[in-house]
Amino acid sequence: MASELMLETMGSLMYVFMMILYYAICFGSAVFQYICFWKIFVKAGQEGWKCLIPVYNLIVLFKFIGLSPFLLLIYLLPFLLILGGFIIGFLIAIGVEIAYIMFFFIIIYFIVLLGVYALNIVYMIYLGKAFNKSTAFIVGLVLVPVVFQAILAFDKTSVYGLKKEEKELTVENV
């Protein structure tokens, strides 16, 4: 009896320790990511504090890499679809037969998620081009963004190189 209680207590303590370790790693990773973005913003001629404000940082980032900030509306589509999912769930709960609508809704949701991932890829490509990086570096930026954004932030040879005319030209093309 006492040994079972001791095992349960040790298991609970181990769980708490692992959760604290997990959240410490997540917090440290987030802080490191913000430090990298701060350095990238400063290299691009922006004030570093602008990377700390959640939506504003993407607006500023999209402007200085040459993308239209209106593309950020694509990030809102999954939230609208979640709201639609709640409405469909409510209709199912009250007995409305909408199996086909649910099927198409799930397909649309995955298409929207693919659009969000595609926007992330485009954003990484434009970020690499704004700092005059090679194609291999841009591929690394797309596949392992945390590592390559850190390289972009702390590498002394990474210099922002997008001129005002190029930014206006790329914004019009998007």
Side-chain angles (χ1 to χ4, degrees), residues 18-31:
M18 294 304 288
M19 291 307 295
I20 290 172
L21 182 65
Y22 171 76
Y23 285 117
I25 290 171
C26 288
F27 180 74
S29 174
V31 168

Side-chain angles (χ1 to χ4, degrees), residues 42-166:
V42 169
K43 281 186 177 186
Q46 300 292 323
E47 296 163 354
W49 63 266
K50 291 181 179 180
C51 76
L52 300 176
I53 303 170
V55 175
Y56 182 63
N57 62 1
L58 289 175
I59 292 171
V60 172
L61 180 71
F62 272 39
K63 281 183 181 178
F64 78 71
I65 64 174
L67 283 173
S68 172
F70 290 108
L71 288 172
L72 292 173
L73 295 175
I74 293 174
Y75 287 130
L76 295 177
L77 290 178
F79 296 110
L80 294 176
L81 290 174
I82 289 172
L83 178 67
F86 285 129
I87 292 170
I88 289 174
F90 174 74
L91 291 175
I92 291 173
I94 63 172
V96 177
E97 186 64 36
I98 54 171
Y100 295 113
I101 295 174
M102 190 66 168
F103 174 73
F104 288 117
F105 181 78
I106 291 171
I107 290 173
I108 290 171
Y109 187 75
F110 283 114
I111 290 171
V112 166
L113 286 181
L114 286 175
V116 168
Y117 290 132
L119 180 60
N120 286 337
I121 291 170
V122 168
Y123 140 64
M124 291 298 171
I125 290 169
Y126 274 75
L127 181 64
K129 286 183 179 181
F131 283 90
N132 299 320
K133 290 301 183 182
S134 67
T135 304
F137 189 89
I138 292 173
V139 169
L141 198 56
V142 168
L143 296 178
V144 193
V146 175
V147 173
F148 283 86
Q149 284 174 353
I151 293 170
L152 195 62
F154 295 106
D155 184 21
K156 300 286 186 207
T157 62
S158 297
V159 178
Y160 180 73
L162 203 59
K163 297 181 184 101
K164 186 174 181 176
E165 303 86 35
E166 292 173 343

Side-chain angles (χ1 to χ4, degrees), residues 32-47:
F32 179 70
Q33 198 67 14
Y34 275 110
I35 290 170
C36 291
F37 271 117
W38 186 292
K39 301 276 283 177
I40 290 171
F41 272 54
V42 169
K43 281 186 177 186
Q46 300 292 323
E47 296 163 354

